[in-house]
Amino acid sequence: MAIHRFDPNFTNNVVNAMGPKTSPRLRQLMTGLIHHVHDFARENELTVDEWMQGVQLLNWAGRMSDDKRNEGQLVCDVIGLESLVDEITFKLADEAADAPTATAILGPFFRADTPYRNNGDDIVVNKPKDGEMVFMHGQVMDFSTKKPLVGATVEVWQASTNGLYEQQDPEQTEFNLRGKFKTDENGRYYFYCLRPTPYPVPDDGPAGKLLQLMDRHPFRPAHIHILATYDGHKPLTTQIFDRKDQYLENDSVFAVKDSLVVDFVPRKDDPQAGLELNYDVKLVPEAKTNGA
């Protein structure tokens, strides 16, 4: 007869406490979570003091989070959870040899209130002296039909060369290096931005503290965030990475995918930008339901 060091019935008692009105999906998720968390505690003989440090870390992340920064999400990033969930979500989507644009994590510095700009606008309101200007352009198309999507929204945001997004930096104008664009009659978008540069994950919160405790470097490779949306299609959240960046192989949040690595090429006869980037986006149609 097996001898249990800890109550062998405790975890099942917690799982079975869920009532009949619990949705099937929530029951599945909570059953798995409870089992994994309880097994983790038993296997590592987690003490009250250690558990309380974890609780305090979560509370710290909550206190730091607002509509301009999501520190809880950043904690998930540095342990690879958001990138893993992103991979799972992308794999569950319909895939083919000519795949839709790959996804990547949203990141903690997305702003839902970013304003629309006109195609051809310059999102670099505050020009850093060490910045390289880029003319970024591309076409948004339907993955299935390959037809251009007119009026699709392409939202972009990036950090400045000092490693800070505008909401982190009082020296930057609000919404600097951010913008939403509507595709034109050919499904194209285009604007001026910076060639992205690598930057460290902020060290003023629990995510940075975790990286220090795990003896890991904090750097993210140079990237530009993209959120593309169009009615009747699945929203696309992704990031694109500079091929010449030194942190592609060891991104501190594990978000790099090979298909998201891009090349910035020289641009001629443009006084506003010495580089350009052509990046097309393929959006997957939403599955139709019966009666649709």
Side-chain angles (χ1 to χ4, degrees):
M1 182 177 179
I3 298 176
H4 297 278
R5 189 172 182 192
F6 306 106
D7 183 355
N9 300 313
F10 180 75
T11 297
N12 285 336
N13 289 340
V14 175
V15 170
N16 293 335
M18 284 185 281
K21 295 181 180 179
T22 306
S23 72
R25 179 57 174 168
L26 181 60
R27 185 180 299 277
Q28 177 187 3
L29 292 173
M30 290 307 301
T31 297
L33 177 64
I34 291 166
H35 275 288
H36 283 294
V37 169
H38 286 205
D39 287 345
F40 169 82
R42 281 188 288 262
E43 290 168 6
N44 293 280
E45 299 188 354
L46 191 68
T47 68
V48 169
D49 287 343
E50 291 167 336
W51 165 75
M52 183 53 69
Q53 288 181 49
V55 171
Q56 290 170 347
L57 183 144
L58 293 176
N59 292 342
W60 184 10
R63 288 192 298 270
M64 292 190 68
S65 297
D66 55 26
D67 59 352
K68 295 182 179 180
R69 172 176 178 173
N70 192 326
E71 186 68 18
Q73 189 170 358
L74 189 56
V75 171
C76 291
D77 289 348
V78 301
I79 63 172
L81 181 57
E82 187 178 3
S83 288
L84 175 58
V85 171
D86 170 69
E87 180 189 14
I88 293 168
T89 303
F90 185 67
K91 293 294 183 184
L92 291 175
D94 292 334
E95 294 182 54
D98 180 18
T101 304
T103 56
I105 63 176
L106 182 69
F109 296 108
F110 169 74
R111 291 189 62 172
D113 55 348
T114 295
Y116 279 94
R117 302 182 189 273
N118 296 318
N119 277 313
D121 279 357
D122 184 352
I123 67 171
V124 192
V125 181
N126 307 120
K127 297 284 191 298
K129 293 181 179 179
D130 56 348
E132 294 182 85
M133 290 296 298
V134 175
F135 180 70
M136 181 171 169
H137 58 100
Q139 188 177 46
V140 180
M141 64 188 76
D142 183 291
F143 164 65
S144 299
T145 66
K146 305 302 184 288
K147 292 182 179 180
L149 298 178
V150 178
T153 296
V154 177
E155 181 171 354
V156 296
W157 64 103
Q158 63 179 148
S160 190
T161 56
N162 64 358
L164 300 175
Y165 291 86
E166 51 86 14
Q167 68 264 57
Q168 298 175 276
D169 185 359
E171 298 301 316
Q172 292 184 46
T173 301
E174 189 168 29
F175 301 117
N176 182 45
L177 297 168
R178 294 178 184 271
K180 290 180 182 176
F181 299 87
K182 288 283 190 182
T183 57
D184 64 15
E185 64 276 9
N186 296 310
R188 303 199 67 83
Y189 70 91
Y190 46 97
F191 59 91
Y192 289 92
C193 63
L194 288 177
R195 183 176 193 164
T197 50
Y199 65 82
V201 168
D203 62 1
D204 59 340
K209 182 65 173 179
L210 268 179
L211 287 174
Q212 294 171 12
L213 292 171
M214 293 186 291
D215 191 26
R216 284 173 42 195
H217 81 76
F219 281 91
R220 295 228 53 215
H223 61 279
I224 299 173
H225 292 268
I226 298 176
L227 174 58
T229 56
Y230 187 75
D231 287 346
H233 291 68
K234 296 178 181 178
L236 172 76
T237 302
T238 195
Q239 300 177 24
I240 49 178
F241 300 89
D242 189 339
R243 190 178 306 279
K244 294 185 177 180
D245 193 273
Q246 61 180 312
Y247 295 106
L248 289 178
E249 300 299 324
N250 57 353
D251 178 9
S252 62
V253 303
F254 311 99
V256 178
K257 295 182 175 77
D258 290 343
S259 63
L260 298 178
V261 178
V262 300
D263 294 292
F264 293 83
V265 299
R267 180 171 174 82
K268 297 180 181 179
D269 303 322
D270 187 341
Q272 286 188 252
L275 296 170
E276 72 174 281
L277 172 65
N278 184 4
Y279 193 76
D280 294 336
V281 175
K282 303 171 188 175
L283 296 183
V284 177
E286 292 278 10
K288 292 184 178 180
T289 59
N290 293 334

